[in-house]
Amino acid sequence: MRRLPESMFRQEVAAGGNMGEIKKHPPVKLIMGMIAAAANLFSAAEASLSQRFGDVDFQSGVMPFDYTDYYVKEMGAELLRKFVSFEKLIQPEELVEIKHFTNDLEMEFLHPNTNRRRINLDPGYVSAAKLVLASTKDHIHRIYLKDGIYAETTLRMERKSFRPWEWTYPDYRRDEYVEIFNGIRQAYMEQLRQSGISAHFI
């Protein structure tokens, strides 16, 4: 049986007192992964997202999305990828409502007279310890939240950088993506520091 490192026990006691003490999770940073058939769809979606979640404080460049043909039949070939994050922090439990909102928003960008999407929106959040993504699909590594929504830890913080798990999507393993989320985390940690909020991260 694998034992937890002694250092984790010592840090837990030093940080919180009684073992098993229930604490409120700090707010987290909302991110949105977008896949689209045309770059102009990103701007249109961002406008609607900003009306709901506030100002965007980070935008990645537009990148080719060619790691899978999963979306080709529905959305077409030569797809594009972009990430954004939002200045206003959220509570982790809001992820369920946010995923329902983005699913509805996708329906506003259908190919004419079809139910085929032109944009895919994947909400998630960055915390001090991890990148979490929402999903409507169950799997062995996903935890059910409620109302048909699951969550998965896609990247974990280890040795001062986000790192993938065995189930992490191939594109999220790329150094380019990891650098994006490391940068978003750095901005998030500064927001917490300026607000005097503990990250609750050992």
Side-chain angles (χ1 to χ4, degrees):
M1 179 181 295
R2 184 185 176 193
R3 298 183 62 187
L4 292 175
E6 181 69 19
S7 60
M8 288 186 65
F9 174 79
R10 291 196 302 268
Q11 288 173 322
E12 177 72 18
V13 172
N18 295 333
M19 295 292 287
E21 179 183 351
I22 295 176
K23 300 178 181 179
K24 183 176 176 60
H25 198 287
V28 294
K29 195 161 189 68
L30 176 63
I31 65 98
M32 196 70 59
M34 301 183 287
I35 302 170
N40 66 302
L41 293 171
F42 293 139
S43 299
E46 287 169 37
S48 296
L49 292 168
S50 293
Q51 288 182 358
R52 178 66 179 264
F53 304 117
D55 293 340
V56 169
D57 64 357
F58 170 81
Q59 301 184 52
S60 75
V62 175
M63 302 168 280
F65 181 78
D66 51 10
Y67 300 94
T68 176
D69 58 3
Y70 179 82
Y71 297 101
V72 169
K73 184 176 181 180
E74 179 183 18
M75 300 174 63
E78 299 183 358
L79 297 174
L80 302 172
R81 159 74 91 181
K82 186 178 181 181
F83 292 102
V84 298
S85 68
F86 297 85
E87 181 178 5
K88 183 180 178 182
L89 302 182
I90 65 167
Q91 293 301 319
E93 56 267 29
E94 293 180 62
L95 190 58
V96 171
E97 179 183 349
I98 291 169
K99 181 62 174 174
H100 280 279
F101 174 81
T102 58
N103 276 15
D104 291 342
L105 183 58
E106 288 175 350
M107 295 300 101
E108 298 181 17
F109 295 93
L110 298 179
H111 289 277
N113 302 316
T114 74
N115 61 355
R116 293 167 47 223
R117 296 174 300 169
R118 292 190 296 157
I119 191 167
N120 179 75
L121 301 173
D122 286 322
Y125 64 76
V126 167
S127 72
K130 54 191 174 289
L131 165 68
V132 173
L133 296 180
S135 178
T136 58
K137 304 177 185 69
D138 192 13
H139 211 297
I140 57 173
H141 61 284
R142 291 177 179 157
I143 303 298
Y144 185 70
L145 301 178
K146 68 174 184 176
D147 298 336
I149 305 302
Y150 301 81
E152 74 164 54
T153 302
T154 299
L155 298 173
R156 69 187 188 276
M157 178 57 56
E158 183 178 302
R159 300 192 302 276
K160 300 182 179 181
S161 178
F162 278 124
R163 301 183 189 278
W165 298 96
E166 60 187 85
W167 55 75
T168 300
Y169 295 116
D171 52 334
Y172 280 83
R173 295 173 175 272
R174 285 194 60 186
D175 290 343
E176 184 177 11
Y177 283 31
V178 171
E179 289 177 8
I180 287 171
F181 292 113
N182 281 341
I184 292 173
R185 179 185 181 273
Q186 184 176 5
Y188 163 70
M189 297 298 284
E190 179 62 19
Q191 283 182 275
L192 293 186
R193 188 192 67 80
Q194 291 184 1
S195 301
I197 299 173
S198 169
H200 292 182
F201 176 58
I202 297 175

Coordinates of all heavy atoms in Angstrom, one line a residue, residues 59-134:
Q59 N -6.0 36.0 -23.7 CA -6.4 35.3 -24.9 C -5.1 34.7 -25.5 O -4.1 35.3 -25.6 CB -6.9 36.3 -26.0 CG -8.1 37.1 -25.6 CD -8.6 37.9 -26.7 OE1 -8.8 37.5 -27.8 NE2 -8.8 39.2 -26.4
S60 N -5.2 33.4 -25.8 CA -4.1 32.7 -26.5 C -4.2 33.1 -28.0 O -5.2 33.7 -28.5 CB -4.2 31.2 -26.4 OG -5.2 30.7 -27.2
G61 N -3.1 32.8 -28.7 CA -3.2 32.9 -30.2 C -4.1 31.8 -30.7 O -4.5 30.9 -30.0
V62 N -4.5 32.0 -32.0 CA -5.3 31.0 -32.7 C -4.3 29.9 -33.2 O -3.3 30.2 -33.9 CB -6.1 31.6 -33.8 CG1 -6.8 30.5 -34.6 CG2 -7.1 32.6 -33.3
M63 N -4.6 28.6 -32.8 CA -3.7 27.5 -33.2 C -4.5 26.5 -34.0 O -5.7 26.4 -33.8 CB -3.2 26.9 -31.9 CG -2.5 27.8 -30.9 SD -2.2 27.1 -29.3 CE -3.9 27.4 -28.6
P64 N -3.8 25.7 -34.8 CA -4.5 24.6 -35.5 C -4.9 23.5 -34.6 O -4.2 23.3 -33.6 CB -3.4 24.2 -36.5 CG -2.1 24.6 -36.0 CD -2.4 25.9 -35.2
F65 N -6.0 22.9 -34.8 CA -6.5 21.8 -34.0 C -6.5 20.6 -34.9 O -7.5 20.4 -35.6 CB -7.9 22.1 -33.4 CG -8.4 21.0 -32.5 CD1 -7.9 20.8 -31.2 CD2 -9.3 20.1 -33.0 CE1 -8.3 19.8 -30.4 CE2 -9.7 19.0 -32.2 CZ -9.3 18.9 -30.9
D66 N -5.5 19.8 -34.8 CA -5.3 18.6 -35.7 C -4.9 17.4 -34.9 O -4.3 16.5 -35.5 CB -4.3 18.9 -36.8 CG -3.0 19.4 -36.2 OD1 -2.8 19.4 -35.0 OD2 -2.2 19.9 -37.0
Y67 N -5.4 17.2 -33.7 CA -5.0 16.1 -32.8 C -6.0 14.9 -32.9 O -5.7 13.8 -32.5 CB -4.9 16.6 -31.4 CG -3.9 17.6 -31.2 CD1 -4.3 19.0 -31.2 CD2 -2.5 17.3 -31.0 CE1 -3.3 20.0 -31.1 CE2 -1.6 18.4 -30.9 CZ -2.0 19.7 -30.9 OH -1.1 20.7 -30.8
T68 N -7.1 15.2 -33.5 CA -8.1 14.1 -33.6 C -9.1 14.5 -34.8 O -9.2 15.7 -35.1 CB -8.9 14.0 -32.3 OG1 -10.0 13.0 -32.5 CG2 -9.6 15.3 -31.9
D69 N -9.7 13.5 -35.3 CA -10.8 13.8 -36.3 C -12.2 13.7 -35.8 O -13.2 13.6 -36.5 CB -10.6 12.9 -37.5 CG -10.7 11.4 -37.2 OD1 -10.9 11.1 -36.0 OD2 -10.5 10.5 -38.1
Y70 N -12.2 13.7 -34.4 CA -13.5 13.5 -33.7 C -14.6 14.5 -34.2 O -15.8 14.2 -34.3 CB -13.3 13.6 -32.2 CG -14.5 13.4 -31.4 CD1 -15.0 12.1 -31.0 CD2 -15.2 14.5 -30.9 CE1 -16.1 12.0 -30.3 CE2 -16.3 14.3 -30.1 CZ -16.8 13.1 -29.8 OH -17.9 12.9 -29.0
Y71 N -14.1 15.8 -34.4 CA -15.1 16.8 -34.7 C -15.3 17.1 -36.2 O -16.1 17.9 -36.6 CB -14.7 18.1 -34.0 CG -14.6 18.1 -32.5 CD1 -13.4 17.9 -31.9 CD2 -15.7 18.2 -31.8 CE1 -13.3 17.9 -30.5 CE2 -15.7 18.2 -30.4 CZ -14.5 18.0 -29.8 OH -14.4 18.0 -28.4
V72 N -14.5 16.4 -37.0 CA -14.5 16.7 -38.5 C -15.9 16.5 -39.1 O -16.3 17.4 -39.9 CB -13.4 15.9 -39.2 CG1 -13.6 16.0 -40.7 CG2 -12.1 16.3 -38.8
K73 N -16.6 15.4 -38.8 CA -17.8 15.1 -39.5 C -18.9 16.2 -39.1 O -19.7 16.6 -40.0 CB -18.4 13.8 -39.0 CG -19.7 13.4 -39.7 CD -20.1 12.0 -39.3 CE -21.4 11.6 -40.0 NZ -21.8 10.2 -39.6
E74 N -18.8 16.7 -37.9 CA -19.8 17.7 -37.4 C -19.4 19.1 -37.8 O -20.2 19.9 -38.3 CB -20.0 17.6 -35.9 CG -20.9 18.7 -35.4 CD -21.0 18.6 -33.9 OE1 -20.1 18.1 -33.2 OE2 -22.0 19.2 -33.3
M75 N -18.1 19.4 -37.6 CA -17.6 20.8 -37.7 C -16.8 21.1 -39.0 O -16.6 22.3 -39.3 CB -16.9 21.2 -36.5 CG -17.7 21.1 -35.2 SD -16.7 21.4 -33.7 CE -16.2 23.1 -33.9
G76 N -16.3 20.1 -39.6 CA -15.5 20.3 -40.8 C -14.0 20.1 -40.5 O -13.6 19.8 -39.3
A77 N -13.2 20.2 -41.5 CA -11.7 20.0 -41.4 C -11.0 21.3 -41.1 O -11.7 22.4 -41.1 CB -11.2 19.3 -42.6
E78 N -9.7 21.2 -40.9 CA -8.9 22.4 -40.6 C -9.5 23.3 -39.5 O -9.6 24.5 -39.6 CB -8.7 23.2 -41.9 CG -8.0 22.5 -43.0 CD -7.8 23.3 -44.3 OE1 -8.2 24.5 -44.3 OE2 -7.2 22.8 -45.2
L79 N -9.7 22.6 -38.4 CA -10.3 23.4 -37.3 C -9.2 24.2 -36.5 O -8.0 23.9 -36.6 CB -10.9 22.3 -36.3 CG -12.1 21.6 -36.9 CD1 -12.6 20.5 -35.9 CD2 -13.3 22.5 -37.2
L80 N -9.7 25.1 -35.8 CA -8.8 26.1 -35.0 C -9.1 26.0 -33.5 O -10.2 25.6 -33.1 CB -9.0 27.5 -35.5 CG -8.8 27.7 -37.0 CD1 -9.2 29.1 -37.4 CD2 -7.4 27.5 -37.4
R81 N -8.1 26.3 -32.8 CA -8.2 26.3 -31.3 C -7.8 27.6 -30.7 O -6.9 28.3 -31.2 CB -7.3 25.2 -30.8 CG -6.9 25.3 -29.3 CD -8.0 24.9 -28.4 NE -8.0 23.5 -28.1 CZ -8.9 22.9 -27.3 NH1 -10.0 23.6 -26.9 NH2 -8.9 21.6 -27.0
K82 N -8.5 28.0 -29.6 CA -8.1 29.2 -28.8 C -8.6 29.0 -27.4 O -9.5 28.3 -27.1 CB -8.8 30.4 -29.4 CG -8.4 31.7 -28.8 CD -9.1 32.9 -29.5 CE -8.6 34.2 -28.8 NZ -9.3 35.4 -29.5
F83 N -7.8 29.6 -26.5 CA -8.1 29.6 -25.1 C -8.3 31.1 -24.6 O -7.6 32.0 -25.0 CB -7.0 28.9 -24.2 CG -6.9 27.5 -24.4 CD1 -5.9 27.0 -25.2 CD2 -7.8 26.6 -23.9 CE1 -5.7 25.6 -25.4 CE2 -7.7 25.2 -24.1 CZ -6.6 24.7 -24.9
V84 N -9.2 31.2 -23.7 CA -9.4 32.5 -23.0 C -9.6 32.2 -21.5 O -10.0 31.2 -21.1 CB -10.5 33.4 -23.5 CG1 -10.3 33.8 -25.0 CG2 -11.9 32.7 -23.3
S85 N -9.2 33.2 -20.7 CA -9.6 33.2 -19.3 C -10.3 34.5 -18.9 O -10.2 35.5 -19.6 CB -8.4 32.9 -18.4 OG -7.5 34.1 -18.4
F86 N -11.0 34.5 -17.7 CA -11.8 35.6 -17.3 C -11.3 36.2 -16.0 O -10.8 35.5 -15.1 CB -13.2 35.2 -17.2 CG -13.8 34.7 -18.5 CD1 -13.7 33.4 -18.9 CD2 -14.5 35.6 -19.3 CE1 -14.2 33.0 -20.1 CE2 -15.1 35.2 -20.5 CZ -14.9 33.9 -20.9
E87 N -11.3 37.5 -16.0 CA -10.8 38.2 -14.8 C -11.5 37.9 -13.5 O -10.9 37.7 -12.5 CB -10.8 39.7 -15.0 CG -10.3 40.6 -13.9 CD -10.3 42.0 -14.2 OE1 -10.8 42.5 -15.2 OE2 -9.8 42.8 -13.3
K88 N -12.9 37.8 -13.6 CA -13.7 37.6 -12.4 C -13.5 36.1 -12.0 O -13.8 35.2 -12.8 CB -15.1 37.9 -12.7 CG -16.0 37.7 -11.5 CD -17.5 38.1 -11.8 CE -18.4 37.8 -10.7 NZ -19.8 38.1 -11.0
L89 N -13.2 35.9 -10.8 CA -13.1 34.5 -10.3 C -14.4 33.9 -10.0 O -15.4 34.7 -9.7 CB -12.2 34.5 -9.0 CG -10.8 35.0 -9.2 CD1 -10.0 34.9 -7.9 CD2 -10.0 34.3 -10.3
I90 N -14.5 32.6 -10.0 CA -15.8 31.9 -9.7 C -15.6 30.9 -8.6 O -14.5 30.6 -8.2 CB -16.3 31.2 -11.0 CG1 -15.3 30.0 -11.4 CG2 -16.5 32.1 -12.2 CD1 -15.8 29.1 -12.4
Q91 N -16.7 30.4 -8.1 CA -16.7 29.3 -7.2 C -16.7 28.0 -8.0 O -17.3 27.9 -9.0 CB -17.9 29.3 -6.3 CG -17.9 30.5 -5.3 CD -16.7 30.5 -4.4 OE1 -16.2 29.5 -3.9 NE2 -16.1 31.7 -4.2
P92 N -15.9 27.0 -7.5 CA -15.8 25.8 -8.3 C -17.2 25.1 -8.6 O -17.3 24.6 -9.7 CB -15.0 24.8 -7.4 CG -14.2 25.7 -6.5 CD -15.1 26.9 -6.3
E93 N -18.1 25.2 -7.7 CA -19.4 24.6 -7.9 C -20.2 25.2 -9.1 O -21.2 24.7 -9.5 CB -20.2 24.5 -6.7 CG -20.5 25.9 -6.0 CD -19.4 26.2 -5.0 OE1 -18.3 25.8 -5.1 OE2 -19.8 27.0 -4.0
E94 N -19.8 26.4 -9.5 CA -20.5 27.1 -10.6 C -20.2 26.4 -11.9 O -20.9 26.7 -13.0 CB -20.1 28.5 -10.7 CG -20.5 29.4 -9.5 CD -20.0 30.8 -9.7 OE1 -20.5 31.5 -10.7 OE2 -19.2 31.3 -8.9
L95 N -19.3 25.5 -12.0 CA -18.9 24.8 -13.3 C -20.1 24.1 -13.9 O -20.2 24.1 -15.2 CB -17.8 23.9 -13.0 CG -17.1 23.3 -14.3 CD1 -16.5 24.4 -15.1 CD2 -16.0 22.3 -13.9
V96 N -21.0 23.6 -13.1 CA -22.2 22.9 -13.7 C -23.0 23.9 -14.5 O -23.4 23.6 -15.6 CB -23.0 22.2 -12.6 CG1 -24.3 21.7 -13.1 CG2 -22.2 21.1 -12.0
E97 N -23.4 25.0 -13.9 CA -24.2 26.0 -14.5 C -23.5 26.5 -15.7 O -24.2 26.8 -16.8 CB -24.5 27.1 -13.5 CG -25.4 28.2 -14.1 CD -25.6 29.3 -13.1 OE1 -25.3 29.2 -11.9 OE2 -26.1 30.4 -13.5
I98 N -22.2 26.7 -15.6 CA -21.5 27.3 -16.8 C -21.5 26.3 -18.0 O -21.6 26.8 -19.1 CB -20.0 27.6 -16.3 CG1 -20.1 28.8 -15.3 CG2 -19.1 27.9 -17.5 CD1 -18.7 29.0 -14.6
K99 N -21.3 25.0 -17.7 CA -21.3 24.1 -18.8 C -22.7 24.0 -19.5 O -22.8 23.9 -20.7 CB -21.0 22.7 -18.3 CG -20.9 21.6 -19.3 CD -19.9 21.8 -20.4 CE -19.8 20.7 -21.4 NZ -18.9 21.0 -22.5
H100 N -23.8 24.1 -18.7 CA -25.1 24.2 -19.3 C -25.2 25.5 -20.2 O -25.8 25.4 -21.3 CB -26.2 24.2 -18.3 CG -26.5 22.8 -17.8 ND1 -27.3 21.9 -18.4 CD2 -26.0 22.1 -16.6 CE1 -27.4 20.8 -17.8 NE2 -26.6 20.9 -16.7
F101 N -24.7 26.6 -19.7 CA -24.7 27.8 -20.5 C -24.0 27.7 -21.8 O -24.5 28.1 -22.9 CB -24.2 29.0 -19.7 CG -24.1 30.3 -20.4 CD1 -25.2 31.1 -20.6 CD2 -22.9 30.7 -21.0 CE1 -25.1 32.3 -21.4 CE2 -22.8 31.8 -21.7 CZ -23.9 32.6 -21.9
T102 N -22.8 27.1 -21.8 CA -22.0 27.0 -23.0 C -22.6 26.0 -24.0 O -22.5 26.2 -25.2 CB -20.5 26.6 -22.7 OG1 -20.5 25.4 -22.0 CG2 -19.8 27.7 -21.8
N103 N -23.2 25.0 -23.5 CA -23.9 24.1 -24.4 C -25.0 24.8 -25.1 O -25.2 24.6 -26.3 CB -24.5 22.9 -23.6 CG -23.5 21.8 -23.4 OD1 -22.3 22.0 -23.6 ND2 -23.9 20.6 -23.0
D104 N -25.8 25.6 -24.4 CA -26.8 26.4 -25.0 C -26.2 27.4 -26.0 O -26.8 27.6 -27.1 CB -27.7 27.1 -24.0 CG -28.5 26.2 -23.1 OD1 -28.7 25.1 -23.5 OD2 -28.9 26.6 -22.0
L105 N -25.1 28.0 -25.7 CA -24.5 29.0 -26.5 C -24.0 28.4 -27.8 O -24.1 29.0 -28.9 CB -23.3 29.7 -25.8 CG -22.6 30.8 -26.6 CD1 -23.6 31.9 -27.0 CD2 -21.5 31.3 -25.7
E106 N -23.5 27.1 -27.8 CA -23.1 26.4 -29.0 C -24.3 26.3 -30.0 O -24.0 26.4 -31.2 CB -22.6 25.0 -28.6 CG -21.3 25.0 -27.9 CD -20.9 23.6 -27.5 OE1 -21.7 22.7 -27.6 OE2 -19.7 23.5 -27.1
M107 N -25.5 26.2 -29.5 CA -26.6 26.0 -30.4 C -26.9 27.3 -31.2 O -27.7 27.3 -32.1 CB -27.8 25.6 -29.5 CG -27.7 24.3 -28.9 SD -27.5 22.9 -30.0 CE -25.7 22.6 -29.9
E108 N -26.3 28.4 -30.7 CA -26.5 29.7 -31.5 C -25.6 29.8 -32.7 O -25.7 30.7 -33.4 CB -26.3 30.9 -30.5 CG -27.3 30.9 -29.4 CD -27.1 32.1 -28.5 OE1 -26.5 33.1 -28.9 OE2 -27.7 32.1 -27.4
F109 N -24.7 28.8 -32.8 CA -23.7 28.9 -33.9 C -23.7 27.6 -34.7 O -22.7 27.0 -35.1 CB -22.3 29.0 -33.3 CG -22.1 30.3 -32.5 CD1 -22.3 30.4 -31.2 CD2 -21.6 31.4 -33.2 CE1 -22.1 31.6 -30.5 CE2 -21.4 32.6 -32.6 CZ -21.7 32.7 -31.2
L110 N -24.9 27.1 -35.0 CA -25.1 25.9 -35.8 C -24.9 26.2 -37.3 O -25.2 27.3 -37.8 CB -26.4 25.3 -35.6 CG -26.8 24.8 -34.2 CD1 -28.2 24.3 -34.1 CD2 -25.8 23.8 -33.7
H111 N -24.5 25.2 -38.1 CA -24.6 25.3 -39.5 C -26.0 25.5 -39.9 O -26.9 24.9 -39.3 CB -24.0 24.0 -40.2 CG -22.6 23.9 -40.1 ND1 -21.7 24.5 -41.0 CD2 -21.8 23.2 -39.2 CE1 -20.4 24.2 -40.6 NE2 -20.5 23.4 -39.6
P112 N -26.3 26.4 -40.9 CA -27.7 26.7 -41.3 C -28.6 25.4 -41.5 O -28.1 24.5 -42.2 CB -27.6 27.5 -42.5 CG -26.2 28.1 -42.4 CD -25.4 27.1 -41.7
N113 N -29.7 25.4 -40.9 CA -30.7 24.3 -41.1 C -30.2 22.9 -40.7 O -30.6 21.9 -41.3 CB -31.2 24.3 -42.6 CG -31.8 25.6 -43.0 OD1 -32.5 26.3 -42.3 ND2 -31.3 26.1 -44.2
T114 N -29.3 22.9 -39.8 CA -28.8 21.6 -39.3 C -28.6 21.7 -37.7 O -28.9 22.8 -37.1 CB -27.4 21.3 -39.8 OG1 -26.4 22.1 -39.2 CG2 -27.3 21.5 -41.3
N115 N -28.3 20.6 -37.1 CA -27.9 20.6 -35.7 C -26.4 20.4 -35.5 O -26.0 20.0 -34.5 CB -28.7 19.5 -35.0 CG -28.4 18.1 -35.5 OD1 -27.7 18.0 -36.4 ND2 -29.0 17.1 -34.8
R116 N -25.7 20.7 -36.6 CA -24.2 20.6 -36.5 C -23.6 21.9 -36.0 O -23.8 22.9 -36.5 CB -23.7 20.2 -37.9 CG -24.1 18.8 -38.4 CD -23.8 18.7 -39.9 NE -22.4 19.1 -40.2 CZ -22.1 19.9 -41.3 NH1 -23.0 20.3 -42.1 NH2 -20.8 20.2 -41.5
R117 N -22.8 21.7 -35.0 CA -22.1 22.9 -34.4 C -21.0 23.4 -35.3 O -20.3 22.7 -36.0 CB -21.5 22.5 -33.0 CG -22.5 22.1 -32.0 CD -21.8 21.7 -30.7 NE -21.0 20.5 -31.0 CZ -20.1 20.0 -30.1 NH1 -19.9 20.6 -29.0 NH2 -19.3 18.9 -30.5
R118 N -20.8 24.7 -35.2 CA -19.6 25.3 -35.8 C -18.5 25.7 -34.8 O -17.4 26.0 -35.1 CB -20.0 26.6 -36.6 CG -20.8 26.3 -37.8 CD -21.0 27.5 -38.7 NE -21.7 28.6 -37.9 CZ -21.6 29.9 -38.2 NH1 -20.8 30.3 -39.2 NH2 -22.3 30.7 -37.5
I119 N -18.9 25.6 -33.5 CA -17.9 25.9 -32.4 C -18.2 25.0 -31.3 O -19.3 24.6 -31.0 CB -18.0 27.4 -32.0 CG1 -16.8 27.8 -31.1 CG2 -19.3 27.7 -31.3 CD1 -16.7 29.3 -30.8
N120 N -17.1 24.6 -30.6 CA -17.2 23.8 -29.4 C -16.6 24.6 -28.3 O -15.5 25.1 -28.4 CB -16.4 22.5 -29.6 CG -16.4 21.6 -28.4 OD1 -17.4 20.9 -28.1 ND2 -15.3 21.6 -27.7
L121 N -17.3 24.6 -27.2 CA -16.9 25.4 -26.0 C -16.7 24.5 -24.8 O -17.6 23.7 -24.4 CB -18.0 26.5 -25.6 CG -18.3 27.5 -26.7 CD1 -19.5 28.3 -26.3 CD2 -17.1 28.3 -27.1
D122 N -15.5 24.5 -24.3 CA -15.1 23.6 -23.1 C -14.7 24.4 -21.9 O -13.6 24.9 -21.8 CB -14.0 22.7 -23.5 CG -14.4 21.6 -24.4 OD1 -15.5 21.0 -24.3 OD2 -13.6 21.2 -25.3
P123 N -15.7 24.7 -21.0 CA -15.3 25.4 -19.8 C -14.6 24.6 -18.8 O -14.7 23.4 -18.7 CB -16.7 25.9 -19.2 CG -17.6 24.8 -19.7 CD -17.1 24.3 -21.0
G124 N -13.8 25.3 -18.0 CA -13.1 24.6 -16.9 C -12.5 25.7 -16.0 O -12.9 26.9 -16.1
Y125 N -11.7 25.3 -15.1 CA -11.1 26.3 -14.2 C -9.7 25.9 -13.8 O -9.3 24.7 -13.8 CB -11.9 26.6 -12.9 CG -12.1 25.4 -12.0 CD1 -11.1 25.1 -11.1 CD2 -13.3 24.8 -11.9 CE1 -11.3 24.0 -10.2 CE2 -13.5 23.7 -11.0 CZ -12.5 23.4 -10.1 OH -12.7 22.3 -9.2
V126 N -8.9 26.9 -13.5 CA -7.5 26.8 -13.0 C -7.6 27.1 -11.5 O -8.1 28.2 -11.1 CB -6.5 27.7 -13.7 CG1 -5.2 27.8 -13.0 CG2 -6.3 27.2 -15.1
S127 N -7.0 26.2 -10.7 CA -6.8 26.5 -9.3 C -5.3 26.4 -9.0 O -4.5 26.2 -9.9 CB -7.6 25.4 -8.4 OG -6.9 24.2 -8.5
A128 N -4.9 26.5 -7.8 CA -3.5 26.5 -7.4 C -3.0 25.1 -7.8 O -1.8 24.9 -8.1 CB -3.3 26.8 -6.0
A129 N -3.8 24.1 -7.7 CA -3.3 22.7 -7.7 C -3.6 22.0 -9.1 O -2.9 21.0 -9.4 CB -3.9 21.8 -6.6
K130 N -4.5 22.5 -9.9 CA -4.9 21.7 -11.0 C -5.7 22.6 -12.1 O -6.2 23.7 -11.8 CB -5.8 20.6 -10.6 CG -7.0 20.9 -9.7 CD -7.6 19.7 -9.1 CE -8.7 20.1 -8.1 NZ -8.2 20.7 -6.9
L131 N -5.8 21.9 -13.3 CA -6.8 22.4 -14.3 C -7.9 21.4 -14.3 O -7.6 20.2 -14.5 CB -6.1 22.5 -15.6 CG -7.0 22.6 -16.8 CD1 -7.7 24.0 -16.8 CD2 -6.3 22.4 -18.2
V132 N -9.1 21.9 -14.2 CA -10.3 21.0 -14.2 C -11.1 21.4 -15.4 O -11.4 22.6 -15.7 CB -11.1 21.2 -12.9 CG1 -12.4 20.4 -13.0 CG2 -10.3 20.7 -11.7
L133 N -11.6 20.4 -16.2 CA -12.5 20.6 -17.3 C -13.9 20.0 -17.0 O -13.9 18.9 -16.4 CB -11.9 20.0 -18.6 CG -10.6 20.6 -19.1 CD1 -10.2 19.9 -20.3 CD2 -10.7 22.1 -19.3
A134 N -14.9 20.6 -17.5 CA -16.3 20.0 -17.4 C -16.6 19.1 -18.6 O -16.0 19.4 -19.7 CB -17.3 21.1 -17.3

